[in-house]
Amino acid sequence: MPAERRIIHIDMDAFFAAVEERRNPSLAGKPVVIGSGGDPTKRGVVSTANYEARRYGIHSAMPMMTAYKLCPQAVFLPVDYEAYLRVSRQFKSVLPSVSPIIEDVGIDEVYLDVSELADTSENITRRIKSLILEETGLTCSVGIAANKLLAKIASDMKKPDGCTILNEEDIEKRLWPLPARKLYGIGPKTEAYLKKIGIDTIGGLASMTLEKLIGHFGNSYGRYLYDSARGINDSPLITHWEAKSVSRETTFEQDVRDWQVIAKTLAYLTKEVVSDLHESGYRAKTFTVKIRFGDFQTLTRAKTMTDYTDSEEDIRRTVFACLQRIDLIKRVRLVGVRANNLEKIK
């Protein structure tokens, strides 16, 4: 008889801010906001905020200027992605000793399948938190349940440094009172629509018949909501995936018309894309340049090479050939480079 399914979701607590606090302990206890270049008077959005900053209503994707108005005394820092990536690798390096079945879903979160382990859920989660703390000095919040959907919801229930185990008998008492937005796949528009028809909670959603949900949302999404509200989800852990593209882009703090600035930025982004290709072990054949003007008009130009390449010189030459096909008659807001049509280097 197969073991009962047990899925763990690990979510590092305010990860970017926690890394910054680890290397600068004087930040502890202060509201810390990380985003863009770290200057709240310039264009950019919040990447993350620590729990002290969140008490002021600051959250990710909020404009940095808005965050500053809410908490001008906060410490504002630029994103140091390379530093966060190093610590991400650190915390993930201890997980194969717990289970070899791992789905890497982001820089600060991971799923583990621990169905075959003989130990109790409490002991497994305690061990994971201890290993990560010992390796990185950072805390994480852990959720464990019968599937990915419930495990992710569980990991968000006690933050920071929490651990939540959701069993089937907990669905009515602990899942249904939660806001409908807590279900993966429900965004602002669906949430607003559900409120319009009188549904605020997951339990309210669970009270709707399958026919009604299909009538409101169509067959596929309606069935998904019907199952999800009841805690039903059989999504497998994806332990291996093939990249479809590698891209980098940047938004200027102020719209730019200087060709030299645009060209320098494009060259830097190209170098980053090449570095990403080398690190992931791919070569590419098609390269695309994206230009977004100040009025949000967006143009792309692509070129496909004869052969796959990971040569920075060849890729830079191709990218600039694409740029020459765009008439830069207006101020530029955003520049981007993408490599796709990838081939894994054997």
Side-chain angles (χ1 to χ4, degrees):
M1 194 171 172
E4 184 181 340
R5 198 167 186 232
R6 287 189 298 170
I7 305 299
I8 289 179
H9 182 254
I10 301 165
D11 190 7
M12 300 300 290
D13 296 319
F15 184 53
F16 291 6
V19 174
E20 296 291 353
E21 288 177 29
R22 187 184 75 166
R23 63 181 177 180
N24 183 0
S26 69
L27 295 174
K30 298 176 182 177
V32 176
V33 180
I34 297 168
S36 304
D39 187 343
T41 66
K42 295 182 179 178
R43 181 187 290 161
V45 297
V46 174
S47 292
T48 195
N50 68 358
Y51 293 98
E52 287 81 4
R54 292 179 194 185
R55 294 192 189 106
Y56 292 87
I58 298 171
H59 57 78
S60 60
M62 172 183 283
M64 291 282 277
M65 291 179 185
T66 304
Y68 181 74
K69 288 176 185 175
L70 289 171
C71 185
Q73 71 271 29
V75 178
F76 290 86
L77 298 172
V79 174
D80 187 349
Y81 191 80
E82 292 304 317
Y84 311 147
L85 193 59
R86 284 195 296 273
V87 181
S88 175
R89 290 178 184 135
Q90 264 186 290
F91 96 79
K92 291 170 186 175
S93 70
V94 304
L95 300 178
S97 67
V98 178
S99 171
I101 308 172
I102 301 171
E103 179 178 349
D104 188 341
V105 288
I107 194 168
D108 61 350
E109 58 177 323
V110 169
Y111 288 104
L112 267 71
D113 189 329
V114 295
S115 306
E116 299 296 329
L117 300 189
D119 211 346
T120 65
S121 296
E122 290 83 358
N123 285 344
I124 295 168
T125 53
R126 197 178 296 120
R127 182 184 171 204
I128 288 169
K129 290 169 70 68
S130 176
L131 286 169
I132 290 175
L133 182 64
E134 187 178 335
E135 181 67 24
T136 67
L138 304 180
T139 63
C140 63
S141 294
V142 177
I144 182 164
N147 57 55
K148 288 166 66 175
L149 174 83
L150 292 177
K152 186 171 176 65
I153 292 173
S155 70
D156 194 47
M157 284 182 162
K158 294 178 186 174
K159 276 187 159 292
D161 198 19
C163 176
T164 302
I165 299 171
L166 268 185
N167 297 308
E168 189 177 346
E169 57 268 25
D170 296 322
I171 288 175
E172 187 173 343
K173 186 164 52 173
R174 301 178 71 185
L175 181 69
W176 285 1
L178 296 175
R181 181 72 185 273
K182 289 287 184 180
L183 280 182
Y184 179 78
I186 293 184
K189 289 183 179 178
T190 303
E191 181 185 34
Y193 183 82
L194 285 169
K195 285 184 176 179
K196 195 186 295 184
I197 62 174
I199 303 297
D200 293 308
T201 64
I202 296 175
L205 195 59
S207 71
M208 295 183 72
T209 65
L210 178 59
E211 290 73 24
K212 278 190 176 180
L213 285 169
I214 290 174
H216 282 290
F217 299 103
N219 185 58
S220 178
Y221 192 38
R223 288 180 183 277
Y224 168 78
L225 292 175
Y226 180 84
D227 286 343
S228 296
R230 289 159 177 76
I232 300 167
N233 182 274
D234 59 0
S235 299
L237 266 66
I238 301 169
T239 57
H240 176 76
W241 60 275
E242 290 290 336
K244 293 184 178 179
S245 66
V246 174
S247 62
R248 290 288 184 120
E249 61 182 42
T250 190
T251 300
F252 294 116
E253 291 172 355
Q254 294 181 332
D255 297 343
V256 172
R257 200 160 199 164
D258 187 330
W259 190 89
Q260 294 292 337
V261 173
I262 296 167
K264 185 178 178 181
T265 303
L266 195 65
Y268 171 76
L269 293 173
T270 301
K271 186 174 183 177
E272 292 291 293
V273 165
V274 171
S275 175
D276 291 343
L277 286 171
H278 289 168
E279 187 172 328
S280 57
Y282 282 95
R283 293 180 296 194
K285 204 172 185 180
T286 302
F287 301 92
T288 304
V289 168
K290 177 164 86 171
I291 297 289
R292 178 169 294 149
F293 295 107
D295 60 4
F296 285 88
Q297 180 191 15
T298 304
L299 300 177
T300 59
R301 296 291 184 269
K303 183 176 179 181
T304 298
M305 311 276 283
T306 306
D307 298 309
Y308 290 95
T309 183
D310 61 356
S311 161
E312 183 177 344
E313 184 180 347
D314 291 344
I315 294 172
R316 185 173 57 246
R317 191 182 304 117
T318 303
V319 162
F320 274 87
C322 292
L323 179 65
Q324 288 173 0
R325 291 159 50 203
I326 298 177
D327 195 358
L328 301 174
I329 57 173
K330 296 181 284 188
R331 292 186 178 275
V332 173
R333 177 185 176 87
L334 174 148
V335 176
V337 177
R338 184 174 75 245
N340 63 313
N341 196 356
L342 304 184
E343 175 188 70
K344 189 76 174 175
I345 300 171
K346 297 175 182 177

